[in-house]
């Protein structure tokens, strides 16, 4: 079947999982997807997940957190969202939302006041400062090449506005991912 299917994210805190297992630790979660936007459906699993595509990522979402639509949305993704790292304290782009692994989880070092950061989503991780947030941003840092990882949100500002996607769509039942049979 070559038909393309999309589904709207219809709840807050919908996670883009790395595997089709509901393991709630950050080792199995890419980030939280923005409510009201869409994922492209690639397949479905027998345990209540859709395999999906969102921007540059392939992962899994729980079927109950999305609603399939008819057609392709005009603006499926929250694209071109950026922010800035303003603090000298933590400019490490990390492979996980924690500093527990030390320098082994450092992907890149971000220059102070850098704006070459593309926001994809957030995730709950380590609380670096007592009494502050435990939210990290998953992002792309563009320098001599593109680097992907997590930045502690408390050291970031100027996050672009991400308005809800109010695009009118027609909802449908679950799509059929079974391969088409050749006609005799």
């Amino acid at each position: 079947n070559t038909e393309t299917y999309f589904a709207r994210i219809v709840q807050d805190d919908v996670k883009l999982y790395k595997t089709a297992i509901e393991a709630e630790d950050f080792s199995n979660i890419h980030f939280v997807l923005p409510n009201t936007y869409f994922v492209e459906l690639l397949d479905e699993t027998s345990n209540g997940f859709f395999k999906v595509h969102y921007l540059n990522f392939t992962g899994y979402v729980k079927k109950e957190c999305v609603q399939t639509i008819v057609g392709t949305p005009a603006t499926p993704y929250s694209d071109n969202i950026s922010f800035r790292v303003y603090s000298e304290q933590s400019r490490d782009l990390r492979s996980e939302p924690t500093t527990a692994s030390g320098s082994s989880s450092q992907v890149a070092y971000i220059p102070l006041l850098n704006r070459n950061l593309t926001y994809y989503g957030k995730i709950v991780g380590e609380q670096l400062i007592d009494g502050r947030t435990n939210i990290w941003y998953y992002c792309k840092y563009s320098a001599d090449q593109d680097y992907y990882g997590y930045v502690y949100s408390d050291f970031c500002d100027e996050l672009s506005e991400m308005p809800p996607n109010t695009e009118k769509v027609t909802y449908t039942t679950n799509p059929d991912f079974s391969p088409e049979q050749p006609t005799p």
Side-chain angles (χ1 to χ4, degrees), residues 50-175:
F50 281 123
K51 183 176 183 180
V52 300
H53 179 79
Y54 180 80
L55 290 170
N56 301 343
F57 301 91
T58 299
Y60 298 85
V61 296
K62 294 181 200 173
K63 288 182 186 179
E64 69 215 32
C65 298
V66 297
Q67 190 166 4
T68 56
I69 67 164
V70 174
T72 300
T75 308
Y77 312 120
S78 62
D79 202 6
N80 298 317
I81 306 298
S82 64
F83 64 97
R84 177 181 79 155
V85 173
Y86 74 85
S87 175
E88 190 66 54
Q89 290 176 288
S90 178
R91 297 182 350 209
D92 291 336
L93 183 68
R94 297 189 166 275
S95 60
E96 52 193 31
T98 179
T99 59
S101 299
S103 62
S104 68
S105 68
Q106 184 180 356
V107 175
Y109 188 70
I110 303 168
L112 188 62
L113 304 178
N114 190 286
R115 296 177 194 277
N116 289 337
L117 298 161
T118 303
Y119 174 89
Y120 289 103
K122 62 184 178 181
I123 189 171
V124 172
E126 177 185 7
Q127 183 179 28
L128 290 184
I129 302 171
D130 287 341
R132 301 296 281 265
T133 188
N134 60 353
I135 300 298
W136 292 64
Y137 294 156
Y138 190 85
C139 65
K140 173 177 74 173
Y141 164 55
S142 298
D144 55 332
Q145 67 181 61
D146 289 340
Y147 300 94
Y148 294 86
Y150 300 93
V151 177
Y152 186 55
S153 71
D154 212 37
F155 298 134
C156 303
D157 65 2
E158 299 183 6
L159 181 62
S160 302
E161 182 182 350
M162 189 182 330
N165 184 326
T166 57
E167 184 174 341
K168 302 288 186 224
V169 295
T170 303
Y171 295 103
T172 184
T173 58
N174 289 344

